[in-house]
Amino acid sequence: MSTVVARAVAVAEDAREFPHVLGGVKLDGPAARLASMVERDFLDEAGWDPAMRVLSPPAEHRLLGRRVCRAQGCEGTAHSRFRVVCHRCSTRLTGLGMSAEEIAAAAQLPGEPARAERCAVPGCQCVPTMRHAVLCEPHAKKFRVRRPRRSLEEFLADPRVRPFPPMRPCQVAACTRAADGACGYCNTHYQRWRAAQGSDPELDQREWQAIESGVAEPGQVNLRALPVRVAVEVLFGIQQRVRGGAQIPQVSLRVLCDTLRRQQVGSIEDGEVVRDKPVRVLLTALTQHVRRALADPGVEQGKDVWDLAIFGHRGTLSFLGIGQPWLRRSVKRWAAEQLPRHRGRGAARVRSKVNALGLLSEYLGCRSDRGGDPAALGRRDVEGFLNRLAYLESSDQISRYRRNCLCRDVRAVLAGIRALGLTRPGQPAAGLPGDFALGRSDIPAEPERGEPGRDLPPEIMATLCANLATLEPVDVRVAAQLGIDTGRRPEDILGLPLDCLDRDKDGGPVLVYDNHKADRLGRRLPISQATAAVITEQQDRVRARFPAIPPARLVLLPSPRRNPDGRKAISIDMLDNRHREWVDALPMLRTREGAEFDKTKITPYAWRHSYAQRHADAGVPIDVLAELLDHRDWGATRRYYRIGEDRRRAAVDAVTALSFDRHGNRIWRDAQSFLDSEHARYAIGEVAVPYGTCSEPSNVQAGGGACPVRFRCVGCSHFRTTVAHLPDLQAYLDDLLHTRERLAATVDGVDEWARLDATPTQEEITRIRQLINRINGDLADLDQTEQARIHDAVAVVRRHRAAHAVALGMPTARTAAVPAPATTAEATA
C-alpha cells in the first residue's frame, strides 16, 4: 500500500460524525476540531437544522433575530426603510391607497391571501410554487392547455385529472424547493437559469447548479451547497460572535453565505473580500474566530506579525521593523518567552521593546553587511547606536525620556537573548560578541523631576464637579464620579462588579474592588454615604437594563455595545474619549490667579492625583495615604502629591499626633491601633470646623454645611481638635465670655427667651476651658526642645491652612441640602 493511500485510510478511520452540526457527514481535521467546539445548545437556540443545513433563528432572538412584518399572515422581514412592513407589503398597501404615515400608525394591517400549502387537485402531493396559485405547476399547465376551456371547478371534477406524487427536488444544490416540471428546476430557478443562459450561452449548467444561491425565505439563512468545512466554520464563527455579544443581521449573513458558495473556497480564510462593508466586516470577524480557534502558538511564532489573542493578549505584535534575520528570530524567541509573564495590557511593554529593537536594526542596516552577521558586531556598533540616539534627542526627534526608555529596552532584550542561550552555536544569534550589549552606564541619567503636579487645583475641581451632570452617557458620568470620590485607577473602576458595595462592622459603606495593576484582589476602601448612593443608583439602572441576568454576572458599568448579558464593561477608550469631549466642550477654565488652565491636563487619571493631593494637604499621614492609594511602596505614594517642603510635612505629622476629643482625651494614639479600614475611615471621614474637625456623616457629606447641633462642637462626640487650633479655642472662649457679659446687661427690646437662647451656657464655657487646660497641660509636660518643635510646627500648619483652606472629604458632583447648593469640591476650594 502506497504512503498516500495509507494516509487517506488513516484519515478516514479518524473521521467521525457530529450529528448536531451536519447530519450524515463524517468530519476530520480542522472541520472536526471546529465541530467539536460548536455547542449543541447554541445550535438549538439559533434554530439550526443539521439535515437541511438551514438556519432559522427565532424572530425574538436578541442577536440573530429580526423584525417581522406587521401585516397579517406575512412572515417577511420588516424593511429598514419602511420599519414596520416588508417591501412586498409596502408596495401592496401603497397600492390600496395607504400612505406611509397611515401604514406606520395603523394598529392592524390587512394581509394578502394565504398561500396554498397543497395543490387543489384531490390527493395531489405537489405544492404550488407560484405565490397566488392553487394548482401545482403540472396541473396548472394541463389546465391552461385544456380545450375547450373549462372553469377550475369543472377541471377539478374531471375524472381524467389524476393526482401527482411529490416532485423531485430542484436541481440547484442550494434550493430547498421542489422542481415544478420536467425542466428540473423550481419556477424561480428556472427563470434564473434562462436569464443566465441568455447572458452567457456557453455557461456550464452543472457548475451553475452547484454555485447558484437558493431562494431567499423569510427568517432563514441557507448554508446548503457550501463546502463542508466552510459550513462548519460559518457555524463556529457565528457562535463565537454571538457569544461575544455582537449582532449579526440575517441579510448580511445570507449575502456572505451566497458569496462563499459562489466562490467555492476550501476555507473561509480563502474567501475574497466583498464590496458590501457589513458583509466584509462579518467575513473578517468570522475568519478571525476560526483562525484563532485553529491556531497553534508554535506556528504563530513563525510569522512576522503575531495575533496576540492566541497568547491571551489584545492586538498584534509586528516584527517587520527588524531587518536582520538572526535578530528577528532571536527577538521572536525572547517575545515568546516574555508574553506569558504579562497580564492585562502588559503586552504593550513587550511591543515597546520590540519596536526599540527595530530602531537598533535600522542602525545596523547602515553597515556594509547590513548587520547580517552577528559575529561581526561589537562595542563600536553599540557606541554608534548610542550616539545615534543622542543625535535624535538633540534634534528634538525624541525626548530624553524616550531616549532612556529605548536604551533600557534594548539592554533588556539583548540581555534576555543571552539568558535564553541564543548566542550559543546553532542558535539564531550564534557568535554574538559579549561586548555587543548595553550596560547601566550606557543609559543617560534621567533628569531630576520636580514635585508631582498632575493634580487639579481646587477651583478647577469645583468647576468640573458643578458641570459633571453634562457628562454623557450616564455610565461614563458614574465612572468619573467614582474616580473623583475614591481616587481609584480608571481600570479598577471599570472593572467593578455590580455587587461592589459592602458594609463594615460599623455599618459604614465600603467599596470592594480589584487592584488590577498590582494584581491585588478584593481590596476594601471606606467611602462616604454620598458615594454609596451613586453606586446604589447605578446598580438599580443596571438591574433594570438586564432584568433576566443574575446580578452576580453583571458589571457596574456595562458597555452599551455588543453586551447583551451585561458582562462587558465600558472600555478605557470610551471613557477617555467621552471624558475628553466633555472637557473640551466646557467654557474656558481659569485658575485662582486668572490664568487659563490647560484642559489637556484634565484626564480620568488626574482624579487619582487630585484625591491624593487633597488628603495630603489635609494632613493625612503618608502611611495612611499609601493605604488609601493601595500602594506597597511609600515612594510610589510620594509621587502622587506635592509636599512643598519637608518641614511642612513634618509639622503636619507633629501636630496631628497631638489630637484631642471634646473631653480633652488624646485620640491619635488610639487610632494607631485601629484596623486598616477603620484607620482609613478615620483619616477621610471628617470635615473642617472653626476650631477643629467634625466626623459627623451628614455634616461631612454636606461639606460642613449640615451641622445638626448648630455648631456646638464641644458638646458633640464627633468633634476633635489639635494643638494647632489652640489659638482658635482661646479666641472662641474669649468671645463666649464677652457675649455673656454683654447680654447680661440690660438690652431694650429683647424678650427674655431670646436673651436666654443667645447667652452662652456655663457648660460650654467650662468644656472649652477644660479642653484648653488639657492641651496646655500636655504641652507643659514636654521638654523645652519638644515644645519648641511643636510651636514651630503649629506656625507652619497655620500658615499652610491659611493659604490652602482644604478640608478632608471627597469632592462630589452632588449638592448639599443646606445652607445653599454647593459641592464638596467647592467647600474644599
Side-chain angles (χ1 to χ4, degrees):
M1 182 181 297
S2 66
T3 303
V4 176
V5 175
R7 186 181 298 111
V9 172
V11 170
E13 292 177 351
D14 292 338
R16 56 195 179 106
E17 290 190 17
F18 297 87
H20 67 290
V21 180
L22 294 178
V25 178
K26 287 189 175 183
L27 304 176
D28 55 37
R33 289 176 57 191
L34 290 175
S36 65
M37 291 183 280
V38 178
E39 303 171 6
R40 184 187 301 271
D41 293 342
F42 168 76
L43 295 180
D44 294 340
E45 170 191 335
W48 171 245
D49 186 340
M52 291 291 295
R53 301 189 187 181
V54 173
L55 195 69
S56 304
E60 64 276 6
H61 194 284
R62 58 191 177 186
L63 298 175
L64 296 174
R66 62 192 179 99
R67 191 166 47 203
V68 180
C69 177
R70 282 178 47 197
Q72 294 182 3
C74 182
E75 296 294 333
T77 302
H79 196 277
S80 58
R81 178 182 174 186
F82 311 111
R83 297 186 179 181
V84 296
V85 293
C86 62
H87 190 280
R88 178 185 297 275
C89 288
S90 175
T91 303
R92 177 175 57 84
L93 296 173
T94 302
L96 296 177
M98 296 183 67
S99 64
E101 293 75 13
E102 292 174 339
I103 295 176
Q108 191 172 9
L109 295 172
E112 60 182 350
R115 192 169 184 169
E117 297 182 358
R118 288 291 180 185
C119 178
V121 174
C124 183
Q125 300 182 34
C126 296
V127 179
T129 55
M130 299 294 291
R131 179 165 294 275
H132 302 297
V134 295
L135 297 176
C136 63
E137 184 58 27
H139 281 125
K141 184 176 182 180
K142 290 181 176 294
F143 176 70
R144 288 194 299 269
V145 300
R146 181 64 60 92
R147 295 292 183 274
R149 298 293 298 271
R150 296 185 179 183
S151 64
L152 179 61
E153 290 75 11
E154 293 175 333
F155 176 77
L156 296 176
D158 192 336
R160 293 174 296 176
V161 178
R162 299 182 179 277
F164 292 123
M167 299 295 293
R168 294 176 302 168
C170 177
Q171 293 184 12
V172 173
C175 188
T176 59
R177 295 183 176 182
D180 287 336
C183 61
Y185 297 121
C186 65
N187 180 69
T188 301
H189 281 118
Y190 175 69
Q191 301 298 330
R192 291 184 187 178
W193 165 245
R194 292 189 59 183
Q197 193 177 36
S199 301
D200 184 8
E202 298 182 359
L203 179 63
D204 184 273
Q205 186 173 9
R206 291 187 178 275
E207 181 180 351
W208 180 85
Q209 294 173 357
I211 65 175
E212 180 61 21
S213 301
V215 181
E217 301 289 351
Q220 293 185 359
V221 179
N222 191 332
L223 273 67
R224 295 168 63 88
L226 283 177
V228 171
R229 175 173 172 175
V230 174
V232 176
E233 289 175 341
V234 169
L235 290 176
F236 176 78
I238 294 173
Q239 171 186 277
Q240 298 304 104
R241 191 154 173 80
V242 169
R243 290 289 184 259
Q247 188 175 17
I248 303 180
Q250 291 186 13
V251 174
S252 299
L253 183 57
R254 188 180 296 118
V255 172
L256 175 61
C257 292
D258 292 344
T259 302
L260 294 174
R261 186 183 296 108
R262 286 195 301 270
Q263 297 175 358
Q264 286 295 299
V265 293
S267 172
I268 194 174
E269 295 188 55
D270 302 328
E272 299 178 7
V273 178
V274 294
R275 294 183 179 180
D276 191 0
K277 182 176 180 179
V279 180
R280 185 169 65 251
V281 171
L282 180 59
L283 174 62
T284 302
L286 300 188
T287 302
Q288 187 179 64
H289 287 305
V290 170
R291 180 164 48 82
R292 289 175 176 175
L294 298 176
D296 180 1
V299 175
E300 191 71 16
Q301 292 172 17
K303 302 178 181 179
D304 292 333
V305 179
W306 293 0
D307 182 358
L308 291 182
I310 299 173
F311 302 92
H313 296 278
R314 298 173 57 185
T316 59
L317 182 60
S318 175
F319 300 89
L320 296 176
I322 304 177
Q324 294 75 24
W326 69 269
L327 185 57
R328 182 183 299 182
R329 292 196 300 271
S330 300
V331 175
K332 285 182 180 180
R333 292 276 297 275
W334 172 86
E337 189 265 343
Q338 285 290 315
L339 285 175
R341 300 185 177 186
H342 294 275
R343 61 180 182 275
R345 295 193 171 190
R349 300 180 184 178
V350 178
R351 187 182 294 110
S352 66
K353 290 180 172 60
V354 172
N355 293 338
L357 267 293
L359 197 60
L360 174 63
S361 173
E362 180 183 345
Y363 173 77
L364 295 179
C366 298
R367 288 171 48 99
S368 58
D369 62 353
R370 302 293 183 184
D373 183 9
L377 303 178
R379 178 64 187 177
R380 292 186 58 185
D381 298 289
V382 174
E383 294 175 351
F385 175 67
L386 295 175
N387 289 328
R388 174 63 178 172
L389 294 182
Y391 165 75
L392 293 177
E393 180 190 355
S394 65
S395 59
D396 293 330
Q397 297 185 48
I398 61 175
S399 64
R400 168 62 66 87
Y401 176 76
R402 176 60 177 160
R403 178 184 172 190
N404 289 349
C405 289
L406 289 171
C407 291
R408 295 180 187 278
D409 290 345
V410 172
R411 179 175 183 267
V413 176
L414 292 180
I417 288 175
R418 286 189 167 83
L420 292 174
L422 301 182
T423 58
R424 298 173 181 172
Q427 296 297 324
L432 185 67
D435 59 355
F436 187 79
L438 274 73
R440 290 185 179 273
S441 59
D442 294 325
I443 302 175
E446 294 187 4
E448 184 176 351
R449 298 185 181 182
E451 289 186 327
R454 294 179 62 183
D455 63 295
L456 305 178
E459 62 273 15
I460 301 299
M461 287 286 293
T463 303
L464 294 175
C465 290
N467 290 275
L468 197 56
T470 62
L471 177 56
E472 296 293 342
V474 64
D475 296 326
V476 175
R477 185 193 314 147
V478 171
Q481 287 178 305
L482 294 181
I484 295 171
D485 289 1
T486 68
R488 299 309 92 187
R489 300 181 183 89
E491 58 267 27
D492 296 342
I493 293 175
L494 299 185
L496 289 174
L498 187 66
D499 55 348
C500 61
L501 187 62
D502 198 4
R503 299 280 173 176
D504 59 16
K505 64 179 184 180
D506 296 328
V510 174
L511 178 69
V512 182
Y513 70 98
D514 293 335
N515 182 344
H516 296 281
K517 183 177 181 179
D519 202 23
R520 304 174 73 183
L521 308 181
R523 310 302 293 171
R524 298 173 68 86
L525 176 73
I527 58 177
S528 67
Q529 293 291 348
T531 306
V534 172
I535 297 176
T536 302
E537 293 172 2
Q538 177 65 11
Q539 289 174 332
D540 294 339
R541 282 190 291 266
V542 174
R543 289 193 183 98
R545 179 179 168 188
F546 303 99
I549 307 299
R553 295 165 56 184
L554 296 172
V555 296
L556 183 67
L557 302 170
S559 172
R561 297 181 62 252
R562 298 179 57 178
N563 191 28
D565 297 327
R567 299 182 183 181
K568 185 173 67 173
I570 59 177
S571 64
I572 287 286
D573 292 338
M574 179 179 177
L575 175 61
D576 290 340
N577 294 337
R578 297 295 178 270
H579 189 272
R580 176 50 49 199
E581 293 171 0
W582 170 66
V583 172
D584 291 342
L586 294 176
M588 183 182 298
L589 302 176
R590 294 190 179 276
T591 63
R592 185 175 303 167
E593 293 76 18
E596 181 180 356
F597 188 78
D598 186 4
K599 290 184 177 180
T600 60
K601 297 181 179 180
I602 306 176
T603 63
Y605 211 94
W607 303 129
R608 181 170 173 83
H609 285 266
S610 300
Y611 174 91
Q613 186 65 51
R614 185 167 66 250
H615 289 83
D617 287 342
V620 175
I622 189 172
D623 57 338
V624 178
L625 187 54
E627 182 68 22
L628 291 175
L629 294 175
D630 202 15
H631 287 158
R632 291 190 178 101
D633 181 14
W634 289 6
T637 306
R638 290 190 179 95
R639 293 194 291 268
Y640 273 79
Y641 64 89
R642 299 185 305 277
I643 296 178
E645 58 184 2
D646 294 338
R647 182 186 177 196
R648 189 184 76 200
R649 184 66 190 187
V652 172
D653 293 340
V655 169
T656 305
L658 291 175
S659 299
F660 301 86
D661 64 6
R662 58 176 173 163
H663 299 291
N665 299 321
R666 293 277 290 275
I667 58 175
W668 186 250
R669 294 172 182 169
D670 298 334
Q672 298 293 341
S673 63
F674 286 176
L675 295 176
D676 290 341
S677 62
E678 295 172 328
H679 194 195
R681 186 178 302 285
Y682 176 86
I684 67 174
E686 57 187 11
V687 68
V689 293
Y691 38 89
T693 56
C694 173
S695 61
E696 203 284 326
S698 63
N699 198 31
V700 172
Q701 178 179 342
C707 179
V709 293
R710 303 172 70 178
F711 293 98
R712 297 295 190 268
C713 297
V714 293
C716 178
S717 61
H718 299 286
F719 171 73
R720 61 191 61 160
T721 189
T722 67
V723 65
H725 291 91
L726 183 58
D728 303 318
L729 290 169
Q730 186 63 55
Y732 183 58
L733 177 61
D734 294 341
D735 181 72
L736 291 177
L737 295 174
H738 177 70
T739 302
R740 185 177 66 175
E741 293 175 1
R742 187 163 54 89
L743 291 175
T746 303
V747 179
D748 296 334
V750 178
D751 293 337
E752 188 62 22
W753 66 266
R755 187 196 312 276
L756 293 176
D757 182 73
T759 301
T761 64
Q762 183 60 41
E763 290 81 2
E764 183 177 11
I765 293 174
T766 302
R767 181 65 59 80
I768 292 291
R769 280 176 172 164
Q770 291 176 348
L771 187 56
I772 293 174
N773 292 335
R774 180 56 191 274
I775 296 176
N776 286 327
D778 276 23
L779 287 175
D781 292 338
L782 302 175
D783 58 32
Q784 293 184 354
T785 303
E786 285 296 317
Q787 288 184 13
R789 186 176 69 87
I790 293 299
H791 285 308
D792 291 341
V794 169
V796 172
V797 170
R798 290 183 66 81
R799 284 198 304 269
H800 178 61
R801 187 188 302 139
H804 305 277
V806 180
L808 273 176
M810 294 171 253
T812 68
R814 295 159 294 283
T815 58
V818 291
T823 64
T824 308
E826 293 167 341
T828 63

